[in-house]
Amino acid sequence: MTEALSDRRPAPSLERLLADLVPPPRFSEARLENYVPDPARPSQEDAKQRVTAFAAELAAPRGGFLAKLRRRKSGPARGIYMDGGFGVGKTHLLTSLFHAVPGHRVYGTFVEYTDLVGALGFQKAVDLLGESVLVCIDEFELDDPGDTLLMTRLIRELSDRGVAIVATSNTLPDALGEGRFAAQDFLREIQAMAERFEVLRIDGEDYRRRDGVTEISALPEAEVSESAASMDGATLDGFDTLLGHLIRVHPSRYGALIDDVSAAHVTGMHGLTHHHDALRFVVLVDRLYDREVPMLVSLADAAAAPGVLAELFSEELLRSGYRKKYLRALSRLASLTTDGGALLHSGTAGAAS
């Protein structure tokens, strides 16, 4: 019988949380040398050159304890904040920096760091991360007041210890939280955090769109179910059942939720109208994308748009403060379903045992 993601109850250990603080498989080979800027977008080349220079600064001899003490007295460490649309190479540059810098460094998404603080306690997390040369934060977002206070304080304390912090986001630092909660009430904290960063604005077109991947491809339900039954390590879920299960699993555990999954099959996919369902599904899509897990999906109403899921997120959702998150998810989901279709028709999937 094919396993379902909704049957899984991941409970990653602290050791697992720490081990996961590395770049995801999709970006394991990302290097500054193979980041290819779009010639029509000078900001991409500028960002590459600045990140390259920053890597050289961090790789320079640090001079032992006395030099570290002098750095602390001279002021907090500066970091880089890469802002721009989705698919312009921010994560590629971030992971390239991680690989270019020697010494102890950590890499995680925003939600992975908030979960780590929850598991360790704030001070212990600061002490642990404070031993790093570099802390990389991908998908930096402030979605609620609690996360705002926690992450702004974490960044200040790590910076005060001389730790370089580099983050990527779809939102400029001073605009974090806009349209999501009463960000003006936390303006002082947000601005104090933003002062620690040099902002690099990276323009460009989503590279997945340049590759011709623009639509979320859907298949007949019977074909999705048959595919799931024929593949080792595949999972099969109804869309609504999966959404219900995601409520009971913390988003920081979505990576563990898809451990050893070769392809995720989802039937009955339909449009979403509420943020609570949509945002959890966005995180799942991000983890599937990071781990290069193909998706094969069918629609709840295939007759409405044969072969293509036209509107996953409602117009109201797309007009909200989370618009960029939703658009990124659509782009990544299109890529994942394209990979799923290629896997299905390649004839390379292993027979189920």
Side-chain angles (χ1 to χ4, degrees), residues 118-164:
L120 290 174
F122 185 83
Q123 193 55 53
K124 190 172 181 180
V126 171
D127 291 340
L128 178 68
L129 297 175
E131 296 301 314
S132 305
V133 175
L134 170 68
V135 169
C136 298
I137 308 175
D138 200 18
E139 303 167 14
F140 194 104
E141 298 290 350
L142 296 181
D143 289 346
D144 64 63
D147 284 348
T148 298
L149 293 174
L150 186 152
M151 289 302 290
T152 53
R153 181 185 170 198
L154 180 66
I155 285 172
R156 288 199 309 271
E157 295 212 13
L158 291 176
S159 176
D160 287 344
R161 293 188 180 209
V163 179

Short mmCIF file of all heavy atoms in Angstrom, two decimals, residues 118-164:
data_model
loop_
_atom_site.label_atom_id
_atom_site.label_comp_id
_atom_site.label_asym_id
_atom_site.label_seq_id
_atom_site.Cartn_x
_atom_site.Cartn_y
_atom_site.Cartn_z
N GLY A 118 13.31 27.68 19.70
CA GLY A 118 12.28 27.05 20.51
C GLY A 118 12.77 25.77 21.18
O GLY A 118 12.40 25.48 22.32
N ALA A 119 13.61 25.01 20.47
CA ALA A 119 14.10 23.74 21.00
C ALA A 119 15.20 23.95 22.05
O ALA A 119 15.27 23.22 23.05
CB ALA A 119 14.62 22.87 19.86
N LEU A 120 16.07 24.94 21.82
CA LEU A 120 17.22 25.14 22.70
C LEU A 120 16.98 26.14 23.81
O LEU A 120 17.60 26.07 24.88
CB LEU A 120 18.42 25.63 21.87
CG LEU A 120 19.08 24.65 20.91
CD1 LEU A 120 20.13 25.38 20.09
CD2 LEU A 120 19.73 23.51 21.68
N GLY A 121 16.08 27.09 23.56
CA GLY A 121 16.00 28.26 24.42
C GLY A 121 16.85 29.36 23.79
O GLY A 121 17.84 29.08 23.11
N PHE A 122 16.47 30.62 24.03
CA PHE A 122 17.12 31.72 23.32
C PHE A 122 18.61 31.81 23.61
O PHE A 122 19.43 31.86 22.70
CB PHE A 122 16.44 33.05 23.67
CG PHE A 122 16.97 34.21 22.89
CD1 PHE A 122 16.50 34.48 21.61
CD2 PHE A 122 17.98 35.02 23.40
CE1 PHE A 122 17.01 35.53 20.87
CE2 PHE A 122 18.49 36.07 22.67
CZ PHE A 122 18.01 36.33 21.40
N GLN A 123 19.00 31.83 24.87
CA GLN A 123 20.40 32.05 25.20
C GLN A 123 21.29 30.92 24.70
O GLN A 123 22.41 31.16 24.21
CB GLN A 123 20.58 32.24 26.71
CG GLN A 123 21.95 32.79 27.09
CD GLN A 123 22.26 34.09 26.36
OE1 GLN A 123 21.47 35.04 26.40
NE2 GLN A 123 23.41 34.14 25.70
N LYS A 124 20.82 29.68 24.83
CA LYS A 124 21.62 28.57 24.35
C LYS A 124 21.78 28.61 22.84
O LYS A 124 22.85 28.30 22.30
CB LYS A 124 20.99 27.24 24.77
CG LYS A 124 21.89 26.03 24.52
CD LYS A 124 21.31 24.77 25.13
CE LYS A 124 22.24 23.57 24.88
NZ LYS A 124 21.67 22.32 25.48
N ALA A 125 20.72 29.04 22.13
CA ALA A 125 20.81 29.18 20.68
C ALA A 125 21.82 30.26 20.30
O ALA A 125 22.61 30.09 19.37
CB ALA A 125 19.44 29.49 20.09
N VAL A 126 21.79 31.37 21.04
CA VAL A 126 22.76 32.44 20.78
C VAL A 126 24.18 31.94 21.01
O VAL A 126 25.09 32.21 20.22
CB VAL A 126 22.46 33.67 21.66
CG1 VAL A 126 23.60 34.69 21.56
CG2 VAL A 126 21.15 34.32 21.24
N ASP A 127 24.39 31.22 22.10
CA ASP A 127 25.73 30.71 22.40
C ASP A 127 26.20 29.73 21.33
O ASP A 127 27.37 29.74 20.94
CB ASP A 127 25.73 30.01 23.76
CG ASP A 127 25.54 30.98 24.91
OD1 ASP A 127 25.78 32.19 24.71
OD2 ASP A 127 25.15 30.53 26.00
N LEU A 128 25.30 28.88 20.85
CA LEU A 128 25.65 27.91 19.82
C LEU A 128 25.95 28.59 18.49
O LEU A 128 27.00 28.37 17.88
CB LEU A 128 24.52 26.90 19.65
CG LEU A 128 24.73 25.84 18.57
CD1 LEU A 128 25.85 24.89 18.96
CD2 LEU A 128 23.44 25.05 18.34
N LEU A 129 25.03 29.43 18.03
CA LEU A 129 25.22 30.11 16.75
C LEU A 129 26.34 31.15 16.83
O LEU A 129 26.96 31.47 15.82
CB LEU A 129 23.91 30.78 16.32
CG LEU A 129 22.73 29.83 16.06
CD1 LEU A 129 21.46 30.63 15.76
CD2 LEU A 129 23.04 28.89 14.90
N GLY A 130 26.59 31.65 18.04
CA GLY A 130 27.62 32.67 18.22
C GLY A 130 29.03 32.17 17.98
O GLY A 130 29.96 32.98 17.87
N GLU A 131 29.21 30.85 17.89
CA GLU A 131 30.52 30.28 17.57
C GLU A 131 30.79 30.25 16.08
O GLU A 131 31.86 29.84 15.64
CB GLU A 131 30.62 28.87 18.15
CG GLU A 131 30.56 28.80 19.66
CD GLU A 131 31.67 29.62 20.31
OE1 GLU A 131 32.83 29.50 19.86
OE2 GLU A 131 31.37 30.38 21.25
N SER A 132 29.81 30.65 15.27
CA SER A 132 29.93 30.57 13.82
C SER A 132 30.63 31.79 13.24
O SER A 132 30.55 32.90 13.78
CB SER A 132 28.53 30.46 13.18
OG SER A 132 27.82 29.37 13.71
N VAL A 133 31.30 31.58 12.15
CA VAL A 133 31.85 32.69 11.37
C VAL A 133 30.73 33.37 10.58
O VAL A 133 30.70 34.58 10.43
CB VAL A 133 32.92 32.16 10.38
CG1 VAL A 133 33.43 33.29 9.47
CG2 VAL A 133 34.07 31.52 11.13
N LEU A 134 29.79 32.55 10.11
CA LEU A 134 28.74 33.03 9.21
C LEU A 134 27.43 32.32 9.52
O LEU A 134 27.40 31.10 9.68
CB LEU A 134 29.15 32.75 7.76
CG LEU A 134 28.12 32.97 6.66
CD1 LEU A 134 27.81 34.46 6.50
CD2 LEU A 134 28.63 32.39 5.33
N VAL A 135 26.35 33.09 9.58
CA VAL A 135 25.00 32.54 9.70
C VAL A 135 24.22 32.98 8.46
O VAL A 135 24.07 34.18 8.21
CB VAL A 135 24.29 33.03 10.97
CG1 VAL A 135 22.80 32.66 10.95
CG2 VAL A 135 24.95 32.43 12.21
N CYS A 136 23.76 32.01 7.68
CA CYS A 136 22.99 32.27 6.47
C CYS A 136 21.51 32.03 6.76
O CYS A 136 21.14 30.97 7.27
CB CYS A 136 23.43 31.34 5.33
SG CYS A 136 25.15 31.53 4.82
N ILE A 137 20.67 33.01 6.42
CA ILE A 137 19.23 32.90 6.65
C ILE A 137 18.52 33.06 5.31
O ILE A 137 18.52 34.14 4.71
CB ILE A 137 18.73 33.98 7.63
CG1 ILE A 137 19.55 33.97 8.92
CG2 ILE A 137 17.24 33.77 7.93
CD1 ILE A 137 19.18 35.09 9.88
N ASP A 138 17.91 31.98 4.84
CA ASP A 138 17.17 32.02 3.58
C ASP A 138 15.69 32.27 3.87
O ASP A 138 15.17 31.85 4.90
CB ASP A 138 17.34 30.70 2.83
CG ASP A 138 17.02 30.82 1.34
OD1 ASP A 138 17.01 31.96 0.83
OD2 ASP A 138 16.80 29.78 0.69
N GLU A 139 15.03 32.97 2.94
CA GLU A 139 13.59 33.23 3.04
C GLU A 139 13.25 34.00 4.30
O GLU A 139 12.35 33.64 5.05
CB GLU A 139 12.80 31.92 2.98
CG GLU A 139 13.06 31.10 1.74
CD GLU A 139 12.51 29.67 1.86
OE1 GLU A 139 11.71 29.43 2.78
OE2 GLU A 139 12.88 28.82 1.06
N PHE A 140 13.96 35.08 4.54
CA PHE A 140 13.73 35.88 5.74
C PHE A 140 12.39 36.60 5.63
O PHE A 140 12.16 37.40 4.73
CB PHE A 140 14.86 36.90 5.91
CG PHE A 140 14.91 37.54 7.27
CD1 PHE A 140 15.85 37.15 8.19
CD2 PHE A 140 13.99 38.52 7.63
CE1 PHE A 140 15.90 37.73 9.45
CE2 PHE A 140 14.02 39.10 8.89
CZ PHE A 140 14.99 38.70 9.80
N GLU A 141 11.49 36.32 6.54
CA GLU A 141 10.19 36.97 6.57
C GLU A 141 9.77 37.17 8.02
O GLU A 141 10.08 36.34 8.88
CB GLU A 141 9.13 36.10 5.87
CG GLU A 141 9.39 35.86 4.39
CD GLU A 141 9.23 37.09 3.52
OE1 GLU A 141 8.72 38.12 4.03
OE2 GLU A 141 9.61 37.03 2.34
N LEU A 142 9.06 38.25 8.28
CA LEU A 142 8.49 38.49 9.60
C LEU A 142 6.98 38.42 9.46
O LEU A 142 6.34 39.37 9.03
CB LEU A 142 8.93 39.85 10.14
CG LEU A 142 10.43 40.00 10.39
CD1 LEU A 142 10.74 41.38 10.94
CD2 LEU A 142 10.94 38.93 11.35
N ASP A 143 6.42 37.24 9.79
CA ASP A 143 5.00 37.01 9.58
C ASP A 143 4.15 37.28 10.80
O ASP A 143 2.93 37.32 10.70
CB ASP A 143 4.76 35.56 9.13
CG ASP A 143 5.28 35.32 7.71
OD1 ASP A 143 5.55 36.31 7.02
OD2 ASP A 143 5.40 34.14 7.32
N ASP A 144 4.76 37.38 11.96
CA ASP A 144 3.96 37.66 13.16
C ASP A 144 4.83 38.38 14.18
O ASP A 144 6.05 38.37 14.11
CB ASP A 144 3.38 36.36 13.73
CG ASP A 144 4.45 35.40 14.21
OD1 ASP A 144 5.20 35.75 15.15
OD2 ASP A 144 4.56 34.30 13.64
N PRO A 145 4.19 39.03 15.16
CA PRO A 145 4.93 39.83 16.14
C PRO A 145 5.94 39.02 16.94
O PRO A 145 7.03 39.50 17.25
CB PRO A 145 3.81 40.38 17.04
CG PRO A 145 2.60 40.41 16.16
CD PRO A 145 2.73 39.20 15.29
N GLY A 146 5.59 37.79 17.32
CA GLY A 146 6.51 36.98 18.12
C GLY A 146 7.80 36.71 17.38
O GLY A 146 8.90 36.83 17.95
N ASP A 147 7.70 36.34 16.10
CA ASP A 147 8.89 36.10 15.30
C ASP A 147 9.70 37.37 15.12
O ASP A 147 10.94 37.34 15.05
CB ASP A 147 8.51 35.54 13.93
CG ASP A 147 8.09 34.08 13.99
OD1 ASP A 147 8.32 33.44 15.03
OD2 ASP A 147 7.54 33.59 12.99
N THR A 148 9.02 38.50 15.03
CA THR A 148 9.71 39.78 14.86
C THR A 148 10.63 40.05 16.05
O THR A 148 11.82 40.36 15.89
CB THR A 148 8.69 40.92 14.72
OG1 THR A 148 7.91 40.70 13.55
CG2 THR A 148 9.39 42.27 14.62
N LEU A 149 10.08 39.94 17.25
CA LEU A 149 10.89 40.21 18.44
C LEU A 149 12.02 39.21 18.58
O LEU A 149 13.15 39.57 18.93
CB LEU A 149 9.98 40.18 19.68
CG LEU A 149 8.94 41.29 19.76
CD1 LEU A 149 8.01 41.07 20.95
CD2 LEU A 149 9.61 42.65 19.84
N LEU A 150 11.74 37.93 18.30
CA LEU A 150 12.75 36.90 18.46
C LEU A 150 13.90 37.07 17.48
O LEU A 150 15.07 37.08 17.87
CB LEU A 150 12.09 35.52 18.27
CG LEU A 150 12.95 34.28 18.55
CD1 LEU A 150 12.05 33.13 18.98
CD2 LEU A 150 13.75 33.86 17.32
N MET A 151 13.57 37.24 16.19
CA MET A 151 14.63 37.26 15.18
C MET A 151 15.41 38.57 15.17
O MET A 151 16.61 38.58 14.93
CB MET A 151 14.04 36.99 13.80
CG MET A 151 13.59 35.54 13.61
SD MET A 151 14.93 34.33 13.87
CE MET A 151 15.97 34.65 12.43
N THR A 152 14.74 39.68 15.45
CA THR A 152 15.50 40.94 15.50
C THR A 152 16.49 40.91 16.66
O THR A 152 17.64 41.38 16.53
CB THR A 152 14.55 42.14 15.62
OG1 THR A 152 13.67 41.96 16.73
CG2 THR A 152 13.73 42.34 14.36
N ARG A 153 16.07 40.35 17.79
CA ARG A 153 16.98 40.25 18.93
C ARG A 153 18.11 39.27 18.64
O ARG A 153 19.27 39.52 18.98
CB ARG A 153 16.20 39.82 20.18
CG ARG A 153 17.08 39.73 21.43
CD ARG A 153 16.29 39.19 22.60
NE ARG A 153 17.17 38.89 23.74
CZ ARG A 153 16.83 38.11 24.74
NH1 ARG A 153 15.63 37.54 24.77
NH2 ARG A 153 17.69 37.88 25.72
N LEU A 154 17.78 38.15 18.03
CA LEU A 154 18.80 37.14 17.70
C LEU A 154 19.87 37.74 16.80
O LEU A 154 21.08 37.56 17.03
CB LEU A 154 18.15 35.93 17.03
CG LEU A 154 19.10 34.79 16.63
CD1 LEU A 154 19.69 34.12 17.87
CD2 LEU A 154 18.36 33.76 15.76
N ILE A 155 19.46 38.47 15.79
CA ILE A 155 20.41 39.06 14.85
C ILE A 155 21.28 40.09 15.54
O ILE A 155 22.51 40.15 15.33
CB ILE A 155 19.66 39.67 13.65
CG1 ILE A 155 19.18 38.53 12.73
CG2 ILE A 155 20.54 40.65 12.87
CD1 ILE A 155 18.27 38.98 11.62
N ARG A 156 20.71 40.91 16.39
CA ARG A 156 21.51 41.91 17.10
C ARG A 156 22.55 41.23 17.99
O ARG A 156 23.71 41.65 18.02
CB ARG A 156 20.60 42.81 17.95
CG ARG A 156 19.75 43.79 17.17
CD ARG A 156 19.25 44.92 18.05
NE ARG A 156 18.61 44.43 19.28
CZ ARG A 156 17.32 44.13 19.39
NH1 ARG A 156 16.54 44.22 18.33
NH2 ARG A 156 16.83 43.71 20.56
N GLU A 157 22.15 40.21 18.73
CA GLU A 157 23.10 39.58 19.65
C GLU A 157 24.20 38.83 18.92
O GLU A 157 25.37 38.85 19.33
CB GLU A 157 22.33 38.65 20.61
CG GLU A 157 21.38 39.40 21.52
CD GLU A 157 21.23 38.75 22.87
OE1 GLU A 157 22.03 37.85 23.22
OE2 GLU A 157 20.29 39.15 23.60
N LEU A 158 23.86 38.16 17.83
CA LEU A 158 24.90 37.47 17.05
C LEU A 158 25.85 38.48 16.41
O LEU A 158 27.07 38.29 16.39
CB LEU A 158 24.26 36.58 15.98
CG LEU A 158 23.49 35.36 16.48
CD1 LEU A 158 22.84 34.63 15.32
CD2 LEU A 158 24.42 34.41 17.24
N SER A 159 25.29 39.55 15.88
CA SER A 159 26.12 40.59 15.28
C SER A 159 27.05 41.21 16.30
O SER A 159 28.23 41.47 16.02
CB SER A 159 25.21 41.66 14.66
OG SER A 159 25.96 42.73 14.14
N ASP A 160 26.56 41.42 17.52
CA ASP A 160 27.39 41.98 18.59
C ASP A 160 28.55 41.05 18.94
O ASP A 160 29.59 41.49 19.43
CB ASP A 160 26.55 42.23 19.84
CG ASP A 160 25.64 43.43 19.69
OD1 ASP A 160 25.86 44.24 18.76
OD2 ASP A 160 24.68 43.55 20.49
N ARG A 161 28.38 39.74 18.69
CA ARG A 161 29.44 38.77 18.96
C ARG A 161 30.41 38.63 17.79
O ARG A 161 31.32 37.79 17.82
CB ARG A 161 28.83 37.40 19.27
CG ARG A 161 28.06 37.37 20.58
CD ARG A 161 27.65 35.97 20.95
NE ARG A 161 26.91 35.92 22.20
CZ ARG A 161 26.89 34.89 23.03
NH1 ARG A 161 27.59 33.80 22.73
NH2 ARG A 161 26.19 34.92 24.14
N GLY A 162 30.21 39.41 16.74
CA GLY A 162 31.11 39.37 15.61
C GLY A 162 30.74 38.37 14.54
O GLY A 162 31.54 38.08 13.64
N VAL A 163 29.52 37.82 14.61
CA VAL A 163 29.07 36.84 13.61
C VAL A 163 28.51 37.57 12.40
O VAL A 163 27.64 38.44 12.54
CB VAL A 163 27.99 35.91 14.20
CG1 VAL A 163 27.51 34.92 13.16
CG2 VAL A 163 28.53 35.18 15.43
N ALA A 164 28.98 37.24 11.22
CA ALA A 164 28.45 37.81 9.98
C ALA A 164 27.14 37.12 9.64
O ALA A 164 27.04 35.89 9.69
CB ALA A 164 29.44 37.64 8.84
#
